[in-house]
Amino acid sequence: EQKDPDDSRFSVKTLLDRSCFETIDDSSPEFVNFVSILEHILSHRLKGQTTWFGYESPRSFWDYIKAACSKVAHNCIRSMESMENVRSSRAKGRAWIRVVLMEKRLSEYISFALRDFKTSRRFYEDGAIMLGEEAGLLADTLIGLNTIDFSFCLKGEGLDGSCPAVIDYTPYLKFTQSADSISSDEEEMRTLGSSGSESSSPDKTATAASIFTEQSNLVSKCKRFEQKYRMALEQKGYLEELVRLREAQLSEAVSHNKALQQSLADAHLSHTVEKEQLEYIILELQDQLTVLKNNDLRSRQELTAHLTNQWPSPDALDANAVALDTLLYRKNTGQWDEYVDAQSKFSKEETPSLRGLCGSLTSVASYKSLASLKSSECLASPATEISSPGITPS
């Protein structure tokens, strides 16, 4: 058995190289070889279909694709089944390969089919390529074909199922001439030139020498080209690695930038919330301060009103308060004289003047004492005093 996954990798590489110079179609030998290799892989150890009589009829890989890829989103399975010019199962499979290549979805279909391992076990025997680990490498290899723009005609004779799928391994063979073989060829050329020098003419000797020189020049040119190719290949690998490194750094920087933007947005949001809370607190404190000021002003006003109501007015005091020295008298003149004599005697002996004890005529205490004197009938009423003539004491 051939190593078909390796052959598919080589065929994909040759297809990619050819697509750089020309358009790939059905006439391209690289594409024909690739399709043949893919058909061999999909048909490797494919089980036959058992009939009612116990016989097995051969199957094509289209039966497996039709069963395993029927749930692929926006698949073309139904379109392939309804094609009128493609009738055989093998032809439908070949048409399907061309359609999915133009849609750039061949790797997607193969990957989806490989994930349905139950269906794969039902269609393939043990040891089949589609059941091994190489199948996953095949799906990864086919991703490279998405960069190629294919153009196929689905009505040609290439879709006929009678055409065998033959793989041409010639493009993948590489002949490398060793240094020993090159030196032996040079020695043989010298031997031929020396042996034929006696019997040959000088023209033939010159021709042999020119051929040998031209061959050595070609060999040196090939070596130089090979060296340049290897150097370019190494530079290509270095640049690809550098590009991958820069892409990784770019993705990391982008993710870091997103994280910073998110943290900045969160900080701005928290700052806005804190600012709104502080503004609300300031407004609330201002309201409380206004209420306290109003309460303080009201308390002051109430205290002033209370003190004002407790203190008697000057008019009332002027009308009711009478000096004690104008009220202390008796109706009887004799009694008055005796009273005056007693008071003068008392004051002369040891009692100081009582005028200082009378207090102010406008004080509340003197007014109350005046009321007590009136109640004991020691003092006359102000009305009586005003109506009757009296002597004002000095």
Side-chain angles (χ1 to χ4, degrees):
E1 295 179 355
Q2 301 292 338
K3 296 180 180 180
D4 290 337
D6 295 337
D7 298 338
S8 65
R9 186 172 66 253
F10 293 144
S11 63
V12 169
K13 185 178 182 302
T14 54
L15 270 176
L16 291 173
D17 295 339
R18 178 62 62 181
S19 64
C20 297
F21 302 100
E22 62 182 18
T23 304
I24 304 298
D25 53 9
D26 291 302
S27 62
S28 177
E30 289 81 8
F31 172 73
V32 174
N33 211 31
F34 166 74
V35 172
S36 301
I37 293 172
L38 185 60
E39 288 185 16
H40 276 280
I41 292 174
L42 295 176
S43 302
H44 184 248
R45 290 186 176 273
L46 188 65
K47 293 180 181 179
Q49 186 175 6
T50 306
T51 61
W52 287 96
F53 300 101
Y55 298 102
E56 288 187 0
S57 59
R59 278 178 174 173
S60 68
F61 67 90
W62 171 246
D63 298 328
Y64 165 69
I65 294 297
K66 183 172 57 176
C69 301
S70 60
K71 296 182 180 180
V72 176
H74 307 289
N75 61 77
C76 59
I77 305 297
R78 186 175 299 177
S79 301
M80 296 297 101
E81 287 290 331
S82 61
M83 291 182 67
E84 298 180 355
N85 59 321
V86 180
R87 299 184 180 277
S88 64
S89 179
R90 184 181 294 273
K92 290 181 180 179
R94 291 178 176 177
W96 169 79
I97 291 175
R98 286 160 173 79
V99 170
V100 295
L101 281 175
M102 288 189 290
E103 292 180 352
K104 303 180 187 299
R105 299 181 64 188
L106 178 59
S107 176
E108 178 185 354
Y109 276 87
I110 297 298
S111 300
F112 191 89
L114 292 175
R115 286 195 294 269
D116 191 359
F117 191 73
K118 183 177 180 181
T119 304
S120 301
R121 292 288 302 175
R122 184 161 55 90
F123 277 87
Y124 289 98
E125 299 177 356
D126 294 336
I129 297 175
M130 295 298 293
L131 298 179
E133 297 179 356
E134 300 87 355
L137 299 177
L138 172 65
D140 296 336
T141 304
L142 295 177
I143 297 178
L145 297 177
N146 295 340
T147 60
I148 303 177
D149 295 328
F150 292 96
S151 178
F152 303 115
C153 180
L154 301 180
K155 296 182 179 180
E157 297 179 355
L159 301 179
D160 189 8
S162 61
C163 299
V166 180
I167 303 175
D168 184 14
Y169 291 97
T170 305
Y172 315 132
L173 298 177
K174 183 178 180 181
F175 174 73
T176 304
Q177 189 176 10
S178 61
D180 297 335
S181 62
I182 294 175
S183 60
S184 63
D185 291 341
E186 293 177 354
E187 188 66 28
E188 184 178 358
M189 290 296 295
R190 292 194 189 94
T191 304
L192 290 175
S194 61
S195 62
S197 61
E198 297 178 356
S199 58
S200 60
S201 61
D203 296 337
K204 293 182 179 180
T205 304
T207 304
S210 63
I211 292 173
F212 176 75
T213 305
E214 185 178 358
Q215 184 178 5
S216 62
N217 292 333
L218 289 176
V219 171
S220 62
K221 286 183 180 180
C222 288
K223 288 182 178 179
R224 287 197 301 270
F225 282 132
E226 185 178 1
Q227 186 178 3
K228 289 182 180 180
Y229 174 73
R230 288 180 180 177
M231 186 180 298
L233 194 61
E234 291 176 359
Q235 291 178 355
K236 178 176 176 292
Y238 170 74
L239 291 176
E240 289 178 351
E241 185 67 24
L242 188 62
V243 168
R244 284 194 292 269
L245 179 62
R246 292 293 181 267
E247 288 179 351
Q249 292 177 353
L250 179 61
S251 61
E252 184 178 358
V254 168
S255 60
H256 184 63
N257 187 22
K258 289 182 179 179
L260 289 178
Q261 289 180 354
Q262 183 65 30
S263 63
L264 181 62
D266 296 340
H268 181 69
L269 180 61
S270 62
H271 174 70
T272 305
V273 173
E274 291 178 358
K275 183 179 178 182
E276 292 178 355
Q277 291 178 354
L278 291 175
E279 290 177 353
Y280 177 75
I281 291 173
I282 290 172
L283 293 176
E284 186 176 359
L285 290 175
Q286 289 178 351
D287 294 339
Q288 292 179 2
L289 182 60
T290 305
V291 172
L292 290 176
K293 286 183 177 180
N294 295 333
N295 292 336
D296 182 67
L297 181 60
R298 189 180 300 109
S299 299
R300 287 174 180 271
Q301 292 176 354
E302 290 177 356
L303 180 59
T304 304
H306 178 71
L307 293 176
T308 305
N309 294 331
Q310 290 293 327
W311 194 263
S313 63
D315 298 334
L317 290 175
D318 292 339
N320 297 324
V322 179
L324 292 176
D325 52 356
T326 59
L327 298 177
L328 291 174
Y329 69 96
R330 291 286 182 178
K331 294 182 179 181
N332 195 338
T333 307
Q335 293 178 353
W336 174 257
D337 295 334
E338 291 178 0
Y339 178 76
V340 170
D341 294 336
Q343 289 294 331
S344 61
K345 184 179 180 181
F346 179 78
S347 62
K348 289 179 179 179
E349 290 178 357
E350 57 185 52
T351 305
S353 176
L354 295 177
R355 289 186 178 183
L357 298 176
C358 294
S360 175
L361 294 176
T362 59
S363 63
V364 178
S366 61
Y367 181 76
K368 289 183 178 180
S369 62
L370 180 62
S372 62
L373 289 173
K374 290 175 62 178
S375 62
S376 62
E377 295 182 355
C378 292
L379 298 177
S381 63
T384 308
E385 178 61 24
I386 293 173
S387 62
S388 64
I391 302 173
T392 303
S394 59

